[in-house]
Amino acid sequence: MFFKQSIWDFVKERATELSTPYYLLDEERLLRNMEKIAYVKDKSGAKSVLALKCFSSWTVFPLMSKYMDGTTSSSLFEAMLGYEKFGLPGQGKETHAYSVAFSEEEVREVRKFATKIIFNSVSQLKRFHDIAKGIPVGLRINPGVSYSHFALADPARKFSRLGSVSMAEIEEISDSLSGVMFHCNCENDDLGALSKILNTISEKYGELLRKLDWVTLGGGIYFTKEGYPLDSFCEILKEFSEKHDTQVYLEPGESAITRAGFLVTKVLDIVHNEIDIAIVDAAANVHMPDLVAYQEDAKIDLPGGGSKTEHKYQIAGRTCLAGDIFGTYTFPGTLNPGDLIPIADAAGYTIVQKTWFNGVPMPSIVVKRLDGKVEVVRTFTYEEYLNNLS
Ligand SMILES: Cc1ncc(COP(=O)(O)O)c(C=O)c1O
C-alpha cells in the first residue's frame, strides 16, 4: 500500500521535534479504513458504530464521524465520551450503551442520552426495563458459536457470562426488545467462518429477528484487512438484513483503526545474552498490553535496504517484567542506542489500556493530520503519575 511517506522517513525527519515514546495516529492511514467502512454501508446497508473499548482517541473523531454512524460502549463513561465527542443524535449519530453489568444509577444516567441500551442478561433487562423505557432496548445473546483463536477473548467459551443463552428466557421478554446484539467474533478474517456463524444465528433466532428493528453483529470481523473479500462480505450482510427485514449494525474496533497507528520508540541500550537484545524506551506490557496477554509479537514494518548481513534483535521493553518483549526482528543494519523504532499497528487496545506501571513515562499522543500537519495533542507529566496514585 502506498502512503505519501514511509514511517521510517517520518520518524527520522521528526526526530528532533518529537520526543519518544509517542503514539502516532496517522489520519491518512485511518482514512483508508474509514473509506472501507463507508463502502460497506453503501453496498450492504450495514451501519458501523465505533467500539470505544478498542479506541477512544477523540482527537480523530471529527474525521471518523464523517464515515461512521456513532459509537458503542462498555461502560457509562465510554457512553458519555461517545455522546460528547462523536456527534449528537441531532447530527444523525448514535450512542449505543452496553455494559456487561450496569448498576441502577448507571442506567438512570445513561438513559438520558443513549440512543439504544443493550443489556447483557435477561435479569438486568427485567430489573431496569422501566428505567430504560422510552428508548430502544436490546439484549446481548450468546448464540453458542464463535470465532476466536484465543480462549481469553472467546465470548462463547464454556461458562461465558457474555450474553443470554436461554431461549426460554429470551422469548419471555421478547416483546420488550427492539433489537439484539451478537458479538461472537475475534480477529475473524475468514468470510466462510463468518457466513456459517450468521447461518446459525438465522436458524436459531430467525423468528425473533423478524420481530425486531435492528441487530448488531458486534466487532471482531477483520473486514478492513488488506485482501479481505469486501464485496462478498457486503452481499452476505445485505442478504442477512433482507432475510430478517432488519437494520444490521457492525461494531468495529480493531477494523476501524488497524494499521493507522504506531508506537514510536527509541533504543536505550543493547545487551547480549546468547542473542542481541535492544531495550527501548517503551514497554510491551504497559503500552501494548494485549501483546503480552495474547503472547503475540508486535508488527514492525522493517525498512528496506542496508547490508546483506542479517542483524537480528529481540526488541524488549524497559520494565522489570521478564516477558516485556515486543518480538524478534531482522533489521537491515546494526541497532545502536538512539535509533528510532516505530512499532506498527499500535492504535487498538493500546492507548485505552496504557498504565503507569514501573513509573515508565507514558507515550505522548501525536497526530498526523490529513493535510500533513503534525500535532502533539497530549503529553504526560510526573504530576499526572503522582496524582494517579495517592
Ligand atoms: C460487544 C463488543 N463489540 C465490539 C467489540 C470490538 O471488537 P474488535 O475490536 O475486535 O472489532 C468488542 C470487543 O471485545 C465487544 O466486546
Side-chain angles (χ1 to χ4, degrees):
M1 174 59 65
F2 174 80
F3 291 106
K4 282 184 199 130
Q5 191 180 29
S6 93
I7 183 64
W8 294 88
D9 290 342
F10 174 87
V11 298
K12 247 184 259 160
E13 192 182 298
R14 305 279 174 162
T16 48
E17 171 196 341
L18 301 172
S19 320
T20 59
Y22 61 91
Y23 293 104
L24 172 70
L25 303 174
D26 182 349
E27 288 195 338
E28 187 195 356
R29 286 172 165 83
L30 183 59
L31 181 64
R32 188 185 52 162
N33 297 334
M34 293 298 106
E35 284 172 345
K36 286 185 183 172
I37 285 173
Y39 183 82
V40 168
K41 183 177 177 185
D42 184 46
K43 294 279 167 191
S44 73
K47 295 182 177 178
S48 277
V49 287
L50 175 66
L52 294 173
K53 71 192 74 190
C54 171
F55 183 78
S56 296
S57 297
W58 42 269
T59 185
V60 293
F61 284 2
L63 171 65
M64 298 179 90
S65 66
K66 286 187 189 141
Y67 298 86
M68 300 186 74
D69 290 285
T71 55
T72 186
S73 51
S74 9
S75 63
L76 171 64
F77 283 3
E78 276 190 1
M80 287 164 72
L81 174 77
Y83 180 72
E84 195 181 317
K85 295 290 186 187
F86 206 89
L88 301 173
Q91 298 159 319
K93 298 301 168 197
E94 300 196 34
T95 305
H96 294 196
Y98 163 76
S99 171
V100 170
F102 281 114
S103 69
E104 181 178 330
E105 300 74 50
E106 286 169 347
V107 179
R108 287 192 191 283
E109 233 5 80
V110 90
R111 64 104 41 238
K112 292 180 191 162
F113 59 86
T115 55
K116 290 178 176 52
I117 296 188
I118 302 168
F119 291 106
N120 183 64
S121 69
V122 169
S123 56
Q124 284 241 312
L125 186 142
K126 281 182 176 169
R127 189 137 33 103
F128 299 135
H129 184 258
D130 282 349
I131 305 172
K133 216 184 254 165
I135 53 174
V137 164
L139 175 71
R140 178 170 181 174
I141 295 177
N142 171 357
V145 287
S146 60
Y147 181 102
S148 174
H149 297 297
F150 310 98
L152 187 61
D154 182 357
R157 71 192 225 161
K158 197 165 170 57
F159 307 132
S160 172
R161 70 198 186 293
L162 303 172
S164 182
V165 286
S166 160
M167 195 66 99
E169 276 189 5
I170 296 167
E171 273 166 11
E172 192 195 332
I173 51 83
S174 65
D175 285 346
S176 47
L177 291 179
S178 106
V180 285
M181 183 234 272
F182 299 95
H183 168 75
C184 42
N185 290 285
C186 174
E187 298 191 3
N188 185 353
D189 58 0
D190 178 344
L191 188 67
L194 176 70
S195 177
K196 269 193 204 150
I197 290 176
L198 293 186
N199 287 341
T200 303
I201 290 174
S202 289
E203 276 163 30
K204 263 175 117 168
Y205 306 100
E207 225 171 283
L208 172 69
L209 295 185
R210 238 163 281 124
K211 291 200 278 182
L212 304 178
D213 298 330
W214 51 272
V215 55
T216 164
L217 299 176
I221 307 169
Y222 242 158
F223 65 97
T224 58
K225 192 177 171 180
E226 214 55 57
Y228 190 85
L230 212 53
D231 286 317
S232 308
F233 176 55
C234 292
E235 273 167 37
I236 285 174
L237 291 179
K238 192 160 189 270
E239 213 179 281
F240 185 87
S241 162
E242 285 171 357
K243 177 152 68 181
H244 303 297
D245 188 22
T246 191
Q247 172 65 53
V248 169
Y249 286 88
L250 302 169
E251 302 180 0
E254 196 61 56
S255 277
I257 48 75
T258 187
R259 290 277 167 183
F262 298 86
L263 173 62
V264 182
T265 67
K266 184 160 70 189
V267 177
L268 294 179
D269 196 11
I270 307 284
V271 295
H272 189 86
N273 181 3
E274 296 186 45
I275 58 168
D276 288 322
I277 303 163
I279 302 174
V280 297
D281 59 357
N285 52 320
V286 175
H287 304 138
M288 297 185 72
D290 275 4
L291 292 179
V292 177
Y294 293 97
Q295 297 279 291
E296 289 189 305
D297 281 353
K299 296 178 191 126
I300 297 185
D301 301 327
L302 290 160
S307 72
K308 292 233 160 55
T309 331
E310 291 203 334
H311 300 276
K312 206 174 194 174
Y313 291 88
Q314 180 185 85
I315 304 298
R318 67 190 302 196
T319 70
C320 57
L321 184 76
D324 175 7
I325 294 165
F326 288 98
T328 300
Y329 312 87
T330 302
F331 289 84
T334 53
L335 291 182
N336 294 293
D339 285 347
L340 297 172
I341 301 184
I343 293 163
D345 214 1
Y349 299 98
T350 55
I351 303 173
V352 290
Q353 290 201 87
K354 63 185 165 23
T355 71
W356 282 112
F357 180 59
N358 265 214
V360 170
M362 219 169 238
S364 50
I365 299 173
V366 177
V367 183
K368 185 164 173 250
R369 300 289 178 196
L370 270 187
D371 63 6
K373 259 194 216 125
V374 175
E375 283 176 39
V376 180
V377 293
R378 186 76 161 87
T379 53
F380 299 90
T381 61
Y382 168 71
E383 277 65 38
E384 282 164 283
Y385 164 70
L386 192 70
N387 292 331
N388 189 51
L389 302 163
S390 58

